[in-house]
Amino acid sequence: MNVTRLRTVQVFTATIRLTSPGGVMAPQSTPILGEATGISGPDAVPVVELGNGSVMPGTTLAGSFRQHLQSRGVGDTDLVRLMGRGGQDPNASRLCVLGGRTPDRGDQGFLDEHSTAVDRYRGAARESTKRHVRRLPPGTEFITFWLLENPTPGESAVVSEALGTWHPLLGSSVTNGRGDSQVVEVRTGTLDLSDERDLLLYLTHHGPELCTVVATDEVAIADPEPRATIVIPLRIVEPLHFGTGETTQSTTRPRVNLVVRMGQDLVIPGRSVRGILRSRLDYMLHTLGLADCPEQRCGVCLSCELFGFTSPTGGRRASVRILDSAVRDARTETLEHVAIDRFTGGAKDSALFTDEVIIEGTFDVVIERLDPPSDAWRLLEALVRLVAQDLHEGFVRLGGGASRGYGRVELAPEPAAGPRLMPLDQAQHTMSTFVGSRRP
Ligand SMILES: [Zn+2]
């Protein structure tokens, strides 16, 4: 590896604001302790530094920034020069990403997310899958710090422009609608180390402090380019219940199984919709003879390509994400049920349970494309239109309690502007052409 003498250092600070709940998560050990001690806490919390400010690790930023450079057409050679390379033939990166932190330490508050996994076959919450994740709320800002060593004018421009047009997805669960971020301010400055004053500054300041002192020139920010989306507008017809695994705490009245909320909003979780959508899509692909992937990790079918998979030998991140959607004009009710004893067929003693349900409202299922346009995305547009029809006709229900008659929705009128669903006949034609092309 060549060691080049440092002649100039260009520094950047970029302020990044979360526009959906997010953060890089650290698993917690309290839930395990909890069983023995009675202390319970979240399963995962945002990474913090000493002093309780939240942290955005440099590796998280660097991975996402590398993808952004690629999508802006920066070639492999330039990419390795800037961002480095590991493996057999390592190359140090000249752009050092020092990471970021929240400027106001620890007083940004948190959002607590409770969820359970839904059983694919029964449509009900699976036992022992209750999960409590603490996330940073939308609006949280990170100041991030960057150092570029000996940049050419071209490289300097590439990094400045890329920072100014960056629209990153950062942290965990981004394919479930977390981690949307927006760059709201970029500043830069350069030190010429042959100049005595600059050299002194360089020697007496380090890392984030150096960046803050030197980066004083503002870099232009561009509006983020919207991602391609598919939107299914839906109206609630029969009670809808996406549970969190949480109940009300009353000891005198029956506890109520609560639905998902985000702040004041009732929310249809993208994570759950994703499971339902994928199951239905897998079923269609299977019946059309296009896939046989019951474990959802064959790695070669269309569904694995779109929704990602994990396997012992690798895996692939999803190329689409499904956002949480707030229910508009929502009205809720509580419904009481009696659990039936499976053997006697009668009511079980003291087995009254109560669900909070949403009985009115409209919402949009929003699917965003993360990768460049592809045949798979075009096929997804057709498949989603077919699933939307199944929802409309009641063959597919959303949320828990399908056996209690919950979860019926219908297609709502599409708004005048914005993305439109593929017409039904076009979706059918697209799929029949695709099936034909796959048959020998
Ligand atoms: Zn598969």
Side-chain angles (χ1 to χ4, degrees), residues 12 54 80 155 176 182 190 221 226 232 237 239-240 255-256 278 299 318 348 395 398 425-426:
F12 297 90
S54 292
V80 170
E155 288 168 343
N176 291 324
Q182 192 181 348
T190 302
I221 305 274
I232 317 176
V237 178
L240 194 57
R255 294 190 170 187
V256 178
R278 181 167 188 179
K348 269 204 252 182
F395 296 122
L398 295 181
D425 55 350
Q426 194 186 332

Side-chain angles (χ1 to χ4, degrees), residues 278 282 285 291-305 308-309:
R278 181 167 188 179
D282 285 352
L285 294 174
D292 185 17
C293 184
E295 300 294 321
Q296 299 191 326
R297 58 184 205 190
C298 74
V300 292
C301 73
L302 181 64
S303 167
C304 284
E305 180 179 349
F309 68 96

